[in-house]
Amino acid sequence: MTEMLQEALRLRKLGFAIHWLIPGEKRPVESGWADALIKSAEDLKKSYRPGYNVGFRPGKWSVVKGREICVLDIDIRGGAAFAEEAYCAAAAMLGDKSFDVVSGSGVGRHRYLAFPIGASPQSAATTLRQSDVYIDRDGKLCSPGAEGARPAWLIELLSTGKNVVLPPSIHPDTQQPYQFTA
């Protein structure tokens, strides 16, 4: 059994709503994944193919220890130069800089948050904070109104309706694994 399949089964047993992601991507393999039934361990074993990444559906679908799991996603789009600013912004909201997952990008982070059943955010993605600095498609500084401009970093709360990549998935750009921090 591969490490990916083992980890998917372990997380499924904990209560995460696991699904497979296209090799080398963050997109789910199956269409209709957002509203599909939660896969059993047997379904995961049967549908697994070498190279798949693993993801989960946060919010109402993933219940661990009686709580719905959502993800605070710290997305660093402008590279390492913007990481510390984003981590500090997240720490201001959370009270500390501890994160559960380091993205395969090396700079992105995830923090898993537990909500009472039925209390996870209704919106699939809620932007909580973002950089005042903007970058273009090539990662160069630009003005907010420029074509393709986007914040250098973004902090979102991901809930029901989103897909979250899990370790030990491989990041599509860096070919490095996502990793749990503890």
Side-chain angles (χ1 to χ4, degrees):
M1 186 179 308
T2 69
E3 177 188 11
M4 194 73 68
L5 180 55
Q6 274 184 302
E7 187 63 7
L9 294 173
R10 182 185 78 81
L11 293 166
R12 172 62 190 96
K13 188 174 184 179
L14 290 174
F16 287 87
I18 301 295
H19 57 265
W20 298 120
L21 305 178
I22 294 170
E25 296 188 26
K26 297 180 183 181
R27 289 185 305 128
V29 168
E30 297 175 347
S31 60
W33 62 271
D35 296 313
L37 294 175
I38 295 172
K39 288 189 178 297
S40 68
E42 197 57 39
D43 290 337
L44 290 169
K45 287 178 192 174
K46 286 180 186 175
S47 59
Y48 177 73
R49 300 293 177 269
Y52 277 179
N53 276 335
V54 63
F56 85 100
R57 293 180 285 167
K60 71 177 184 179
W61 299 105
S62 291
V63 178
V64 176
K65 296 182 181 178
R67 313 274 282 180
E68 295 176 358
I69 303 300
C70 294
V71 175
L72 189 78
D73 179 29
I74 297 91
D75 186 8
I76 314 296
R77 300 164 167 183
F82 295 98
E84 191 60 30
E85 180 182 349
Y87 302 157
C88 288
M93 290 185 278
L94 299 169
D96 66 37
K97 283 191 198 177
S98 63
F99 301 105
D100 299 303
V101 171
V102 176
S103 163
S105 72
V107 291
R109 301 287 188 268
H110 292 167
R111 173 93 172 261
Y112 296 176
L113 304 173
F115 290 81
I117 300 294
S120 59
Q122 296 298 307
S123 179
T126 304
T127 299
L128 302 176
R129 298 227 15 216
Q130 67 182 35
S131 174
D132 293 332
V133 175
Y134 283 73
I135 59 168
D136 64 18
R137 290 185 187 117
D138 297 322
K140 294 184 175 135
L141 295 177
C142 67
S143 63
E147 185 177 333
R150 58 190 189 148
W153 57 264
L154 180 71
I155 299 174
E156 290 184 296
L157 183 58
L158 307 179
S159 187
T160 304
K162 290 302 281 185
N163 164 52
V164 177
V165 180
L166 283 165
S169 295
I170 303 300
H171 193 278
D173 298 331
T174 66
Q175 302 305 302
Q176 297 300 308
Y178 284 68
Q179 298 177 11
F180 286 109
T181 57

